[in-house]
Amino acid sequence: MNQNIKNQRIYIIAVFLLILFSSKQVYCESSSTINQDKPKIGLVLSGGGALGFAHIPILKAIDSLEIPIDYIAGTSMGGIASALYSIGYTGAELEYLVKNVDWNEIFTDEPDRDLIPYFIKKDDGLYQFHFGFDNNTINPPSGLIRGQKISLFFSKLTYPFEKIKDFDLLPIPFRCVAVDLLTANEVVLKSGSLSKAMRSTMAIPTIFNPVSWGDSLLIDGGLVNNVPVDVVKEMGADFVIAVNVGRPLKKRSELNSMFDMLEQTLVVPSIKKHEENIQNADIFIEPQLHDYNPALFTNDNIDNIIVEGENVLRSSLQKLIELKNDLNPSENEKRILNTVSIRVFSINILGNYSIPFKDIYEKLNIVPGQLFNQDTLIAHIQHLRETNLFQSIKYKLDFIDEQRVGIQFVLKELGQPSIHRLSIKNNTTTSFNTIFNLLDLQIGSIFDIDLLNERINELYSTGYFETIRYEIEPVKENAIHLIVYVEERPQDEIHMGLHYDETYKFVGSINLIKSSLFNSGLRSETTLRIAGLTYFNSILYLPRSGNSFSLYPYAQMNYKDIPLNIFDESGKKFAIYHNRSSSIGLGIGFSINHDLDLKVEANMEFINVTPIVSPPDPFYSPEWKDKLTTIRSKLHFDNIDNVFLPNRGLDLTINYEGSYINIGSDIKYVKGSLILDYYKTLTERTVFHFYTFNGYGEEELPGYKFHYVGGPDSFIGTERSEMGYYRLSLFRFDLRQQLRNNMFLSLIYNFTPNYGGDFYPIDKQVIQGAGIGFTYNTAMGPIELIYSRGDKINNLNPSKKSNVYYLTMGFNID
C-alpha cells in the first residue's frame, strides 16, 4: 500500500494518542561514582510521538557535560529512546539515526513488492480491509500496523544485549511503562527481551497491535504514566532529570473539534499522576512544541522539533552545569580512587553476543578479590584489544565503599560469528523445514545481521506470519544460537473492498481465502463482486513460496454479468447488453519468480449475451448463446513498486485464447492481446507513464469477444468500452507531478493509429484524446477526477470533439 496512505491512517488516530522518541548515552572510557553519599541520577523521557525528537539536544548536553546517569526510564517512544540510551547510544548517535531512518517505511507492515510471492501480489490493491477468519468468525485486526518492520528495526539496534533478561544489568538500569489492556493496570517492564519491551511501550491502541507479554496484552504506557518520574525514583534515583514532550491539557478555547475532545479525553485519566511526577522532578525540561504534529515524521518536522529542543536547553543548561559541578569528585574521592587497599568486588561484561562471558573473562584476567589498580586495569584492557575481537571496549567503575569497586565492561564486537544452531519457536501449522528453507540460513554460515533481516522480510512476505522476531545467544567463541520466534497468521482470511466509477457506480468486493484445505498447502480463493456488476470466481490451487521456479495445478470456475454499452455511428450509446458467461477450467501454472507467472488452461465457457436496452431492429441488437471450448494462456510480469501510484517498474500481460470446433466449441476464433504499463521516475516528484494496448483477432471473432477499451484506465476522451473491434492498438503517455504528500496532478495524451469497426467504414481512423487529472490518495484508496477531450468515434463529423469527465474512488477492480 502507498506509504502516504499508511501515514494518513496513522495520523487520523495517532494525532490524538501520544507516543515519543528520543535518545541515549554512552560510557566514557572511565566514569566513576566513588562516594555512596553522591546522589544517584535518574533520567526520565516522556512520550510524545515525533515530538520526542526534542529529547536529543538535552541528551547531547548530558553527554557533553559527562553527567553520569545511574537509572533511566521512559514511556512510549521515550521508552524506546531510554532503552537505546541505556545500552550506550549517545545523543549524537541518536540524532544521526533519526535523520537517516525512512520513517514511512518503518511505520508499515507492507513488504517490498519485489519480495511478495506472485499469488499474493496478484490481489494487491483490490481490497481495503483484511481480516482473519476462524471457525466461521471474522477476527478484525487489533491495529492498523502489526509492527513487523519496527520490531526488526529494534532488534537490529539491540541484538548484542538481547541475552540480558534483567534490565538492571544493562549498562544503565532501565525501565519502560506499558498498560495491560486486559486489566487496565500500569505495567513497568524491567526484564525480558529489550526489543520486545520497546515494541510494547509504544503499542498505540488501534494503530499498532498489542503485544502479548505473559498473561498480559500490552499497549502504549502513555495512557497512564507519560512522565514516569515515580518509576525512576523507585529504582533508586535521588535526583531526577525529566524531559516532557507530551502535550498539556487544552484550554476551553482550544477544544474546537471532535478530535480535540478525544485527545483531551485520553489525557484526563493520567493528569493527576502526571502533575505529581512533574513536581517530583528536580530538573524539569519542557520544550514548547504546541505547533508541531506528533504524528508527522518528515525531515522538516524532525529538524524543527530538534531546534525547539535546543531552544529549551538554553534555559536549562545552567541547572545541568550546576549538577555536574556538584558531582565532580572531591580530593577525598580522588584519594580513595588511588588507594592501594581497594579490591575488585565484581566484574560485569555487556554487549557481547557471540563471544561467551567465560572467554572474555579469561582474556581479561581480572578476578574478584584482587587489588584494584587503574593502570593495571588499562593494561588488561589493552591486552583484550590486541585480540582484534572488539571494535570498542569501554568501562565504568562503581565504588561500593572505600574498600570495594565493581567494574562494568561494555563491548562492541568486531568480527562476524557463525550460526552454530538455529531454532524456530511458536510455529504450529507451518513446518520447521518450510521456515528453515525459506530463511535459507545454513548452519555454519557467517552471521550477518543485514542478511538476517533481509531473509526475515522475505519470509514475512509469504503472508504466513503476523510477526517474526529473533534473539541471539552466544554458544562459544565466534558462534551463536539464533532463535526465530514466529506468530502465524490465521489459516483463513477474508478481504473486502469498495470501488466507484461513473460506469458501474459502486462495486463491493469480497474475497475468502482458505489455506491448507484438505491437504497441507492447498489453497482456495473465492471472489464475489456485486452491485454495479456481478462477478464470481473460485479457484483451487497449490502455490509454492520462494524465489525458485515452481509448477502448480489449478482448477477454477467463473461467472460474470457485466453491463456492456454499445455506441452508434454518432458516438451515442444506443444499447446496453448483459455480457454474461459461466465457465470452468483446468490448468497448470508456472511461477517463475516473484514477478513472473504463466498459466495454460483448458476452459469450457457458456455464453449468454442479451440486450437490456436496445433498438427494436434485431439487426442492431443480436443475441449470442454459444458454448466455447478454448485453450487459454496468460503470461504476466509485474515488478512495479506500488500498485496505485507507481514510481518505477513494468507491468506486462500477454493473453491468448483459441476456440476450436474439433474439441467441442460452437464457433472457431483466435484472439490475443499485449498490455504494457511502464513507469519511470524523472525527478523526486515527477513520474512518466507509458501504456499500450495491442489486441488481435480474426475477422470471425464474435462481438462479445471484441477488444473493448476506453475510459480512465485505458483511453481517455471516450466512454468506458466505447472503442470495440477485433483488432486495435492504442498508445498513452502520462506525466504525473506530486503536489503535496497525497495530491497529484497528471497530464495525459493518447491515440490509436488504426481504429475501425462494423459501424465505422472509415478504417485506419486516427483517434486522439488528452486530459488533465487530479488524484488524492486516501486511506480508502485513491480519488481521481479526470477531465478529457477527444475525437468523436464516427464517420459523420470527423472533426467533432467530445468532453468526458471521469470520477473513480476506492481500490481497483479486475
Side-chain angles (χ1 to χ4, degrees):
M1 180 181 295
N2 182 273
Q3 293 302 127
N4 292 325
I5 297 309
K6 292 291 185 181
N7 288 346
Q8 188 180 59
R9 286 187 173 185
I10 292 172
Y11 175 76
I12 292 173
I13 305 175
V15 71
F16 325 116
L17 304 173
L18 301 179
I19 48 180
L20 90 75
F21 188 100
S22 267
S23 44
K24 68 175 280 193
Q25 142 180 359
V26 137
Y27 295 87
C28 305
E29 271 295 326
S30 90
S31 61
S32 57
T33 47
I34 301 175
N35 195 327
Q36 281 189 309
D37 294 333
K38 184 170 293 183
K40 298 289 187 179
I41 309 301
L43 177 63
V44 175
L45 304 177
S46 84
L51 306 182
F53 295 121
H55 290 309
I56 289 175
I58 289 90
L59 292 167
K60 290 170 69 176
I62 290 173
D63 293 340
S64 178
L65 292 171
E66 296 184 354
I67 296 174
I69 301 301
D70 298 290
Y71 307 103
I72 188 166
T75 298
S76 190
M77 294 284 275
I80 295 169
S82 299
L84 295 177
Y85 198 77
S86 77
I87 60 174
Y89 285 81
T90 65
E93 288 171 332
L94 284 171
E95 182 174 22
Y96 177 83
L97 180 67
V98 302
K99 289 185 175 182
N100 288 275
V101 168
D102 185 345
W103 293 103
N104 289 338
E105 181 70 13
I106 288 294
F107 287 137
T108 68
D109 288 318
E110 299 297 327
D112 293 339
R113 291 192 85 245
D114 293 342
L115 300 177
I116 301 175
Y118 181 83
F119 74 93
I120 296 178
K121 182 187 291 188
K122 65 181 177 59
D123 291 333
D124 195 13
L126 298 179
Y127 309 100
Q128 286 101 332
F129 306 104
H130 304 264
F131 309 109
F133 191 72
D134 188 23
N135 295 325
N136 298 319
T137 301
I138 295 177
N139 300 316
S142 51
L144 294 174
I145 303 172
R146 299 185 189 98
Q148 170 63 24
K149 288 187 178 180
I150 200 165
S151 294
L152 279 187
F153 178 61
F154 292 161
S155 293
K156 183 176 179 179
L157 296 174
T158 65
Y159 71 91
F161 295 88
E162 280 295 315
K163 70 179 186 298
I164 300 174
K165 302 306 179 185
D166 184 351
F167 296 162
D168 282 336
L169 300 179
L170 294 172
I172 302 176
F174 158 75
R175 300 285 188 273
C176 64
V177 178
V179 179
D180 186 353
L181 190 59
L182 304 178
T183 64
N185 292 331
E186 177 181 347
V187 178
V188 178
L189 299 175
K190 57 184 178 181
S191 62
S193 165
L194 184 61
S195 61
K196 189 175 180 182
M198 294 164 66
R199 171 65 179 84
S200 301
T201 190
M202 50 79 68
I204 308 168
T206 72
I207 297 291
F208 290 96
N209 280 10
V211 177
S212 295
W213 192 290
D215 295 330
S216 300
L217 199 60
L218 301 184
I219 59 174
D220 191 319
L223 297 172
V224 296
N225 194 355
N226 200 44
V227 190
V229 173
D230 57 328
V231 173
V232 84
K233 277 187 168 292
E234 186 177 340
M235 294 173 72
D238 304 305
F239 191 99
V240 177
I241 305 168
V243 186
N244 178 41
V245 298
R247 289 183 172 180
L249 283 174
K250 294 179 181 294
K251 298 177 182 179
R252 182 166 185 169
S253 60
E254 297 174 316
L255 296 173
N256 300 316
S257 69
M258 177 184 68
F259 296 153
D260 294 332
M261 298 289 186
L262 178 57
E263 183 179 356
Q264 188 89 324
T265 302
L266 294 170
V267 173
V268 166
S270 64
I271 192 63
K272 183 177 180 181
K273 189 169 192 175
H274 179 79
E275 291 175 348
E276 290 175 354
N277 278 330
I278 289 175
Q279 291 172 2
N280 290 328
D282 298 282
I283 297 179
F284 180 68
I285 303 172
E286 189 171 46
Q288 299 303 305
L289 301 167
H290 310 290
D291 297 331
Y292 298 97
N293 187 341
L296 189 60
F297 288 78
T298 63
N299 291 335
D300 289 344
N301 201 45
I302 291 171
D303 291 341
N304 291 333
I305 289 170
I306 290 175
V307 168
E308 290 300 329
E310 293 170 348
N311 292 337
V312 76
L313 177 62
R314 296 188 183 98
S315 62
S316 304
L317 187 58
Q318 185 57 40
K319 293 181 180 179
L320 293 175
I321 292 173
E322 291 173 0
L323 173 62
K324 170 61 178 176
N325 291 335
D326 291 342
L327 295 174
N328 281 335
S330 64
E331 292 300 322
N332 183 53
E333 291 169 336
K334 294 177 182 178
R335 178 189 59 78
I336 295 173
L337 180 61
N338 295 314
T339 184
V340 295
S341 62
I342 195 164
R343 293 184 179 273
V344 176
F345 176 74
S346 62
I347 296 174
N348 191 19
I349 298 172
L350 304 173
N352 57 311
Y353 68 96
S354 69
I355 305 175
F357 173 90
K358 179 176 178 292
D359 294 354
I360 300 171
Y361 180 75
E362 290 176 352
K363 289 180 173 62
L364 272 171
N365 195 26
I366 301 174
V367 296
Q370 75 180 51
L371 290 173
F372 172 79
N373 180 283
Q374 196 159 18
D375 293 335
T376 303
L377 173 61
I378 293 173
H380 284 285
I381 292 175
Q382 181 59 33
H383 176 71
L384 196 60
R385 284 197 179 101
E386 290 172 357
T387 63
N388 294 321
L389 296 174
F390 304 99
Q391 182 176 336
S392 66
I393 304 170
K394 300 176 182 180
Y395 71 95
K396 178 180 179 180
L397 303 180
D398 182 17
F399 284 81
I400 311 302
D401 51 37
E402 293 189 7
Q403 285 79 41
R404 297 177 299 171
V405 62
I407 310 174
Q408 183 182 85
F409 296 93
V410 181
L411 312 174
K412 187 173 183 181
E413 294 185 12
L414 183 62
Q416 291 179 300
S418 64
I419 300 174
H420 180 78
R421 182 183 172 196
L422 173 62
S423 298
I424 297 169
K425 305 288 187 180
N426 301 336
N427 57 309
T428 57
T429 59
T430 311
S431 69
F432 173 90
N433 287 337
T434 298
I435 299 174
F436 181 81
N437 291 333
L438 289 171
L439 278 174
D440 194 24
L441 296 171
Q442 301 303 316
I443 302 300
S445 63
I446 296 298
F447 173 75
D448 183 323
I449 190 68
D450 293 321
L451 178 62
L452 173 62
N453 283 353
E454 179 183 320
R455 294 291 168 76
I456 288 179
N457 281 330
E458 290 181 5
L459 181 62
Y460 177 75
S461 70
T462 62
Y464 296 157
F465 306 99
E466 291 277 5
T467 58
I468 307 168
R469 65 181 186 89
Y470 60 87
E471 294 181 7
I472 297 166
E473 295 178 348
V475 176
K476 56 185 179 179
E477 186 171 326
N478 292 326
I480 63 165
H481 175 202
L482 176 61
I483 308 169
V484 178
Y485 295 88
V486 300
E487 180 185 353
E488 293 171 311
R489 296 180 69 172
Q491 288 287 288
D492 304 330
E493 296 181 28
I494 188 166
H495 306 155
M496 299 180 183
L498 187 65
H499 173 89
Y500 173 85
D501 63 53
E502 74 289 343
T503 301
Y504 303 125
K505 308 306 178 185
F506 284 102
V507 177
S509 301
I510 301 175
N511 174 248
L512 175 62
I513 298 175
K514 298 185 72 66
S515 300
S516 298
L517 188 68
F518 306 127
N519 186 22
S520 178
L522 193 62
R523 181 181 178 99
S524 73
E525 293 187 25
T526 302
T527 302
L528 175 65
R529 295 194 170 92
I530 54 175
L533 54 83
T534 302
Y535 172 87
F536 173 83
N537 176 266
S538 184
I539 183 169
L540 185 68
Y541 63 109
L542 188 65
R544 293 286 188 271
S545 298
N547 293 316
S548 60
F549 171 87
S550 65
L551 180 148
Y552 58 93
Y554 68 91
Q556 69 170 334
M557 57 181 178
N558 186 82
Y559 172 80
K560 68 176 183 179
D561 183 354
I562 301 176
L564 177 64
N565 297 325
I566 305 298
F567 298 83
D568 64 15
E569 67 274 10
S570 66
K572 293 183 178 181
K573 180 170 61 177
F574 78 98
I576 305 174
Y577 268 76
H578 276 301
N579 185 6
R580 291 179 293 200
S581 70
S582 56
S583 65
I584 55 174
L586 295 173
I588 297 177
F590 303 86
S591 180
I592 299 170
N593 55 37
H594 287 169
D595 302 328
L596 184 61
D597 186 79
L598 171 65
K599 292 185 178 71
V600 179
E601 175 182 329
N603 187 280
M604 181 174 290
E605 184 176 12
F606 299 90
I607 302 296
N608 182 14
V609 178
T610 57
I612 305 170
V613 178
S614 66
D617 189 339
F619 176 79
Y620 290 99
S621 55
E623 297 184 6
W624 292 273
K625 296 182 183 293
D626 296 325
K627 183 188 78 171
L628 306 177
T629 305
T630 60
I631 302 297
R632 301 177 178 181
S633 67
K634 178 180 179 180
L635 177 69
H636 186 200
F637 177 83
D638 173 9
N639 74 346
I640 60 175
D641 64 330
N642 184 284
V643 71
F644 291 123
L645 294 164
N647 296 308
R648 58 175 175 78
L650 180 71
D651 191 318
L652 171 67
T653 303
I654 300 176
N655 293 305
Y656 168 82
E657 182 178 327
S659 175
Y660 303 97
I661 295 176
N662 58 359
I663 58 174
S665 190
D666 289 345
I667 59 174
K668 177 183 178 301
Y669 67 83
V670 171
K671 65 176 291 190
S673 63
L674 182 151
I675 309 165
L676 182 145
D677 285 278
Y678 171 72
Y679 298 88
K680 181 177 178 58
T681 299
L682 302 181
T683 70
E684 183 179 356
R685 290 178 171 266
T686 307
V687 175
F688 169 74
H689 171 217
F690 170 71
Y691 169 82
T692 181
F693 178 95
N694 296 275
Y696 168 83
E698 297 176 340
E699 290 190 13
E700 61 267 27
L701 191 68
Y704 57 82
K705 287 292 183 178
F706 276 11
H707 302 286
Y708 287 97
V709 297
D713 300 327
S714 58
F715 198 90
I716 65 167
T718 62
E719 300 287 350
R720 189 182 296 271
S721 303
E722 183 175 349
M723 302 172 67
Y725 198 39
Y726 61 86
R727 296 179 190 175
L728 62 85
S729 297
L730 65 89
F731 302 91
R732 172 169 166 166
F733 307 88
D734 298 51
L735 198 63
R736 186 183 77 227
Q737 179 71 28
Q738 184 177 8
L739 304 177
R740 298 182 64 184
N741 282 344
N742 293 329
M743 297 181 183
F744 303 84
L745 186 70
S746 299
L747 300 177
I748 309 164
Y749 169 74
N750 49 216
F751 73 96
T752 177
N754 57 347
Y755 183 72
D758 290 342
F759 293 110
Y760 322 125
I762 300 177
D763 204 357
K764 299 187 180 301
Q765 181 179 356
V766 176
I767 308 296
Q768 300 181 79
I772 183 170
F774 174 78
T775 304
Y776 182 65
N777 215 5
T778 76
M780 297 296 291
I783 300 175
E784 184 174 48
L785 177 65
I786 299 176
Y787 164 73
S788 65
R789 184 172 174 82
D791 296 328
K792 272 292 186 182
I793 306 175
N794 66 85
N795 65 322
L796 301 180
N797 187 356
S799 63
K800 187 175 181 180
K801 304 291 183 181
S802 62
N803 297 305
V804 185
Y805 295 88
Y806 311 102
L807 175 64
T808 58
M809 295 184 290
F811 283 20
N812 298 327
I813 57 174
D814 285 331

